[in-house]
Each structure stands twice: as C-alpha cells, then as structure tokens.
Amino acid sequence: MAKVRGKLYVTVPSLFRCPISMDVMRSPVSLCTGITYDRSSIQHWLDSGHDTCPATMQVLPSKDFIPNLTLHRLIHLWLLSAEPTSPEPRFPADHLSALLRGIQSEVKDLAVSLSKIAEFVKISGENRRFLATFPGFDSAIVRALAGSTTRIDALENVISILNSVFRENGNSAVAGERIRRLILDSREECLASMLSVLRNGSSKSKIETVWVLEFLAFDFQSKKSIAETRGLMSFLIGLLKDGEEELNDALLSLLAVVSVTQSAKIEIVNCGLVEVVSKILRNEACLVATAERCLRMLAVVATCAEGRAAMAAEPSCAAAVVEKVAKASKTAAEDAVAVLWSLCCLCGNVKVSDDVAKRNGVTVILLVMQRGLEEHVRSMCMDLIKVLRGACKNPLELGSYDTKTTHIKPC
C-alpha cells in the first residue's frame, strides 16, 4: 500500500492486472497461448480483426478462450480484503486542455506537453479511455504527429501515446476510428514522421511505431495506402534484416497485413524478403511464434510469380519450411503446405521437389494431414505426396489420390 498526496492506494498484484488494459480483471479468461486477459479487453482485441495473442504476438490457431475460474476467485477474495481506495489520479479537464493547446502551439511547449500526456496514459486504462474521447485530443495528436518530423523526442512520445490509446480502445471504437481517419487523411506527413522514428528512434519506439502502423491498416484501402508510402516497404525489409527478435515479430506481422496487392508483394520480394525470412527460419534459436510469422509471409508472396521464383532460387528456403512445419500450429502448417505446393506442384520445380523429398517431405506431409486441415489444404497435400513420391528413389506405397486443387492460380 502506498500513500500519494495524503491518499491511500492499494498496490494491485501484477497477476490480477489485464495485460491489455492494465486494470484489475473483472472476468479473467485464458487464450490457447496460456495468457489471461479481462474478457472485455481481449474480446475487443479479437473483434478488431487481430489474430494474435497481444502479450506474445503469437498467431492464434484458435480464438476461443476459457474462463480462468481460479484467478477469478483469487481476485474476488483480494477485492474483499483490500481497503477502499481513491480513484487513480487524473488531470483536471482544464489542465488536459492546456496540454493539448501546448501540443498545437509553440515548439518549446511541444515536448513537455507530450511527455506529460505520455505519462498520463501510462497510469491506467481509465486514463487512456478518458483521453481518447477528450474533445480535441484526436486532432491535436494527429497535428503533432504530422508536424514534428524534426523532433525525435516529441515523435517518440506521440507514438507512445497513440500506441497506448489504440491498444486500450481498439480499432472498432469511435475514437480509434476517428484518429485513424485523420492520420490517413494526412498520410504523407504522418507516415513520414513514423518513418523518421523507424530510422532514428529507440528500439522500443520502433516496435511501437510498427504496432501503430498495423492498427492503421484496418481495411483494404488503408493497407494499400500504407504499402504505397514511398520507401516504407523497402525500409521495413531493411529493418527486418538487422532487427532484434521482438522487432522482427512486429515487422513480419505488419508486412503480412499490408501486402495485399501484387505490387506490394513484388516490391518486398525485390527488396530481399525471401532471403531474410529463410535466414530467420534456419536459425535454430528461432522461436515458434517467429517461425510461424515467417511461414505466413512466405505464403503471402507465394501467390505471385516473383515470390515463387525467389523462393525456388533461394537454396535454403524450401528446406527451412520443411524443418519448421512439424512444430507449427495448424494455421502455420497450412501456410507451409501452400508454400511447398506452390513450388513443387504449381511451378513444378524439380530441384525443389528433390530437396523436399530428401528431407522426408512425404512423411512430414502425411503427419500434417493428420491435423484436421481445411479441404483445399488436404488437396494440396495429396498433390504434394504424388509429386514427392516421384522424386523419391524408393517411393512409399501410398495408393492413388485424386485432387482438384484450384485455389491458387498462376499470376
């Protein structure tokens, strides 16, 4: 228990706080990753179109969650025993209005005002929700983002604030939608500022910038607009080559989200995506979640001829996919099958087929087929088995398979 300005505040056990809102969980539920969230927060996250666990950023094979009854009882007992507390400190409305005016006025006030607001949103989910709906916040924060390209300290605070507000309120909230629209309307200036943080910001700020970009990529048009930002995609690939694991996870997630057009896919292939992703997959220390993001990225570029050609030309690509597919989730395994089918069946690359067959590809595909795959993925598996049997010196007697795989067509 702590005393702040004469008022008592109960110290909340970290286990009782939701990783998203940072508030005490009212209805704790657990995802398949084992991470527990408050039901309203994780439901909001999933309803906003995300398919990842917010804490680990691991792709979710299932979006189902189950009540954590044990933790619910512990929180209930703790609440009964805890002393009544005063609300967490919040800026008076007139103070917050003054800070927002500071954002929009002289440069000397900008960094100070942004710093104070950044600290304010870190205090609680209540503060983040309050700020998101505060009159004038949306236009002020977007104006600060668009006009602070030369102030990296100010930009880092802007990104921190936006990341906190987006994560708390989600894409589907009115406040999040309004801010996203304003940023996309000022796309050239705002994205130039984000690119500045990616170039010159701290590692934490770079990761938060990538997260903000992913929040902005909500529909086809916004994804297309972000991907078409001059120099952005090539710079993201450059970061991916040199990034730390947490940054790489964020980058792979964003690239998979915004690569919705053929031109975007071709651009990232030409920037060396296949080579860097194959290198990440070959790393024995590569985490399962990171490997799954790599497989998703390869499946994305496998839908264009340039992507398939680059994967066929990369000596270690197919081999790395075969090595990782056995430990991948169902969704990632389906991505891996799509990649191998594209190379061995759609392109008919004999060299790749031989390489996959030598690495027990038939056995791997048979094991994958036991995981209850979608029908079109099973068809791809059957195609692969027939091709790989032909590549084996001692093919397995697996019978005859008929298939009608039509979901991927040559570009």
Side-chain angles (χ1 to χ4, degrees):
M1 188 176 299
K3 191 172 184 179
V4 180
R5 295 183 182 179
K7 298 180 180 180
L8 291 176
Y9 296 90
V10 174
T11 301
V12 180
S14 58
L15 182 65
F16 295 170
R17 289 186 181 273
C18 172
I20 297 176
S21 69
M22 298 308 295
D23 292 335
V24 176
M25 290 182 279
R26 297 181 180 181
S27 180
V29 295
S30 299
L31 291 179
C32 58
T33 57
I35 308 297
T36 299
Y37 303 90
D38 189 65
R39 181 186 294 271
S40 61
S41 296
I42 192 61
Q43 189 67 64
H44 205 56
W45 171 266
L46 297 175
D47 290 346
S48 298
H50 296 91
D51 63 351
T52 56
C53 172
T56 65
M57 297 310 291
Q58 180 179 349
V59 177
L60 295 171
S62 169
K63 294 185 178 181
D64 296 334
F65 47 72
I66 58 173
N68 190 327
L69 299 179
T70 300
L71 187 56
H72 187 277
R73 285 194 293 269
L74 289 173
I75 292 174
H76 178 68
L77 291 172
W78 176 79
L79 288 172
L80 290 176
S81 63
E83 296 182 19
T85 65
S86 302
E88 292 188 355
R90 172 196 285 183
F91 290 155
D94 56 347
H95 189 184
L96 191 52
S97 295
L99 290 177
L100 294 180
R101 286 195 299 273
I103 291 178
Q104 303 175 67
S105 60
E106 300 178 14
V107 175
K108 66 178 183 179
D109 295 330
L110 181 66
V112 174
S113 297
L114 286 171
S115 178
K116 289 181 178 179
I117 294 175
E119 288 300 317
F120 172 73
V121 298
K122 291 177 183 178
I123 293 174
S124 69
E126 181 191 8
N127 283 4
R128 293 186 285 276
R129 292 187 291 272
F130 175 72
L131 181 63
T133 57
F134 192 82
F137 165 71
D138 49 1
S139 58
I141 198 67
V142 174
R143 189 175 294 111
L145 177 63
S148 307
T149 53
T150 60
R151 296 292 303 274
I152 191 63
D153 56 337
L155 278 178
E156 287 185 316
N157 277 322
V158 171
I159 292 297
S160 178
I161 294 166
L162 285 172
N163 181 58
S164 297
V165 169
F166 276 137
R167 281 179 171 267
E168 178 64 35
N169 294 277
N171 276 328
S172 60
V174 175
E177 169 61 29
R178 192 165 56 241
I179 295 171
R180 183 173 60 248
R181 186 176 65 251
L182 288 172
I183 292 177
L184 292 175
D185 285 346
S186 304
R187 180 170 66 93
E188 188 172 339
E189 295 86 356
C190 289
L191 293 183
S193 294
M194 293 189 207
L195 195 54
S196 179
V197 178
L198 290 173
R199 287 195 180 102
N200 306 307
S202 66
S203 178
K204 178 176 178 291
S205 294
K206 289 178 181 178
I207 293 169
E208 289 180 336
T209 302
V210 175
W211 286 342
V212 169
L213 284 168
E214 187 168 341
F215 273 111
L216 295 175
F218 186 65
D219 56 18
F220 178 84
Q221 188 55 48
S222 59
K223 294 173 183 177
K224 181 173 179 290
S225 296
I226 291 172
E228 290 176 348
T229 301
R230 182 177 300 177
L232 178 62
M233 299 294 270
S234 60
F235 191 79
L236 293 178
I237 299 299
L239 283 178
L240 189 62
K241 293 177 181 178
D242 304 319
E244 300 172 356
E245 188 148 30
E246 187 177 359
L247 177 58
N248 279 353
D249 277 354
L251 288 166
L252 289 166
S253 179
L254 173 63
L255 287 168
V257 167
V258 300
S259 299
V260 292
T261 63
Q262 288 296 100
S263 59
K265 295 171 187 175
I266 292 171
E267 181 179 0
I268 60 176
V269 168
N270 290 339
C271 289
L273 173 84
V274 172
E275 179 184 358
V276 67
V277 166
S278 300
K279 181 179 179 181
I280 294 172
L281 281 176
R282 290 199 311 272
N283 185 352
E284 294 183 358
C286 176
L287 298 178
V288 172
T290 304
E292 291 181 353
R293 292 187 185 282
C294 289
L295 294 174
R296 172 92 287 266
M297 208 58 250
L298 291 176
V300 168
V301 297
T303 59
C304 70
E306 290 80 1
R308 295 190 290 271
M311 287 189 286
E314 175 58 44
S316 62
C317 182
V321 172
V322 174
E323 291 294 327
K324 296 297 183 182
V325 65
K327 296 181 180 179
S329 66
K330 176 185 170 183
T331 301
E334 291 179 340
D335 286 334
V337 169
V339 171
L340 294 175
W341 182 88
S342 297
L343 296 174
C344 299
C345 302
L346 183 60
C347 295
N349 191 296
V350 176
K351 183 178 182 303
V352 173
S353 298
D354 287 343
D355 194 22
V356 173
K358 291 175 182 177
R359 296 176 181 275
N360 296 319
V362 173
T363 302
V364 170
I365 297 301
L366 285 171
L367 289 173
V368 170
M369 289 181 70
Q370 298 177 21
R371 303 174 66 177
L373 305 176
E374 297 292 332
E375 186 58 36
H376 71 278
V377 183
R378 288 184 61 83
S379 294
M380 286 192 287
C381 288
M382 293 173 185
D383 286 348
L384 276 167
I385 289 172
K386 288 200 292 186
V387 169
L388 296 178
R389 284 181 64 198
C392 290
K393 293 182 179 179
N394 297 305
L396 299 175
E397 296 297 332
L398 300 174
S400 177
Y401 291 97
D402 292 321
T403 179
K404 297 179 181 180
T405 305
T406 59
H407 81 293
I408 298 180
K409 297 180 181 179
C411 299

